[in-house]
Amino acid sequence: MTETATATQVAARAVDAVKTYGEGDAAVHALAGVTVEFPAHEFTAIMGPSGSGKSTLMQCVAGLDRLSSGETYIGETPLSTLDKTALTLLRRDQLGFIFQQYNLIPTLTAEENILLPLTLAGEEPDRSWFDEIVSTVNLTDRLGNLPSQLSGGQQQRVAVARALVPRPAIVFADEPTGALDSRTGIEMLSFMRRAVDDTGQTIVMVTHDPHAASYANNVLFLADGQIIDSMPNPTAERVLDRMKQFEA
C-alpha cells in the first residue's frame, strides 16, 4: 500500500504495539506486538476472550492509553508525538467514544450531555441529524431528564447519541449495546451500520456478542495480546463458531 493510499483509506492503525503492565516476573503483556489497520468508512469489530487485550488495543489506538512501545496513528498522526493538550484536542475534534461506564455529567440533562462535545468545541449542532439520532435511540421524551432520572439502558443511549452527533471521523465503541434491551440494541447496531454505509462513518467496536459483530465489515480476533484471525463479511453463526474455538 502506498503512502497516499494509507492516508486516504486507513483511519487508524497500530504498529508493533506493546502494552505491558507490571515488571519482571509479574509483567503482563496486554498487547504483544500488534500491527493492524482500521480502514476508513468501514465498521470493524474486535473480539476475544476476557483478558485478550481487545479493550487495551482500542484504548491505545484511540489515544486513551499510552503504549509501552510501538506506535499508534489516527490518520497519519503518530499519537506518541502529541503532548497532552494536542492529544485532547485530537480526541475532541476527530473521535467519538461510547464507553461501558457511560461517563455522563450528572448535573447536565440528557440533551446537554449529548451536545457536550459540540458545546466544548464551540460548534452548533446539525439539528436534523440530532433529531434523527435521538429518535433512533428513543430518547425524544427524555431529553430534559438528568442521568439519575434515566435507567441504565437510557443512559447508554445518551452515551451513544453523544458519540454520533458531532459526526466524528472515527467512533470507538466499547460494548455499546451491553446495557440495551435486544430491540434497542438491534436498532442501534442498524443505525451504526447505516452511518457507515450512508455517511462514510468509521467505527471500531469491541464486543463479546456475535450478533453485534455480524453488523461489521470485518471482525478481528485477539488472544493473548495478539491478533490471531480475522473474518470479513461475518455472520453471527460463523463468529460464534470461531469464538467456541477459544473455549476449546
Side-chain angles (χ1 to χ4, degrees):
M1 182 178 290
T2 66
E3 182 175 340
T4 300
T6 298
T8 57
Q9 297 180 14
V10 177
R13 58 191 171 106
V15 179
D16 296 327
V18 174
K19 181 64 177 180
T20 302
Y21 297 98
E23 299 179 353
D25 294 339
V28 175
H29 301 290
L31 297 177
V34 174
T35 295
V36 64
E37 294 182 343
F38 297 100
H41 319 306
E42 291 193 11
F43 191 159
T44 303
I46 304 174
M47 302 192 76
S50 178
S52 62
K54 54 187 184 293
S55 291
T56 301
L57 175 61
M58 188 189 77
Q59 289 166 5
C60 289
V61 173
L64 297 172
D65 199 358
R66 294 281 191 179
L67 293 173
S68 302
S69 65
E71 186 60 89
T72 51
Y73 299 80
I74 296 296
E76 288 300 296
T77 302
L79 299 189
S80 67
T81 66
L82 303 181
D83 61 21
K84 185 176 181 180
T85 299
L87 187 58
T88 297
L89 291 174
L90 180 143
R91 290 197 301 254
R92 186 195 73 183
D93 296 338
Q94 298 188 40
L95 311 182
F97 301 96
I98 306 172
F99 300 100
Q100 295 184 62
Q101 297 83 10
Y102 318 141
N103 290 343
L104 304 182
I105 306 299
T107 56
L108 299 182
T109 65
E111 180 170 0
E112 290 168 337
N113 268 288
I114 292 170
L115 294 177
L116 184 60
L118 291 174
T119 301
L120 293 174
E123 299 177 5
E124 292 295 323
D126 178 338
R127 277 291 166 179
S128 62
W129 179 243
F130 173 88
D131 291 341
E132 181 179 355
I133 290 176
V134 167
S135 176
T136 297
V137 298
N138 195 23
L139 284 173
T140 304
D141 61 349
R142 296 288 187 176
L143 291 177
N145 290 94
L146 296 172
S148 61
Q149 298 169 317
L150 302 173
S151 68
Q154 289 167 339
Q155 291 182 53
Q156 180 67 313
R157 297 180 207 178
V158 173
V160 170
R162 179 182 59 191
L164 293 173
V165 161
R167 298 182 186 266
I170 312 173
V171 172
F172 292 97
D174 192 354
E175 300 285 2
T177 61
L180 302 179
D181 61 81
S182 58
R183 177 179 177 180
T184 304
I186 290 172
E187 290 174 350
M188 178 50 54
L189 289 164
S190 297
F191 182 81
M192 293 168 70
R193 182 67 256 172
R194 293 199 308 273
V196 173
D197 294 336
D198 298 343
T199 68
Q201 183 66 67
T202 301
I203 296 176
V204 178
M205 176 181 69
V206 168
T207 184
H208 71 280
D209 181 2
H211 179 73
S214 71
Y215 283 79
N217 295 92
N218 188 43
V219 181
L220 302 176
F221 297 94
L222 268 70
D224 300 321
Q226 295 183 321
I227 295 175
I228 62 170
D229 200 2
S230 65
M231 181 184 295
N233 305 312
T235 66
E237 293 76 15
R238 290 172 61 214
V239 172
L240 180 59
D241 287 342
R242 184 65 184 87
M243 292 298 294
K244 287 179 179 177
Q245 296 179 32
F246 289 116
E247 299 175 4

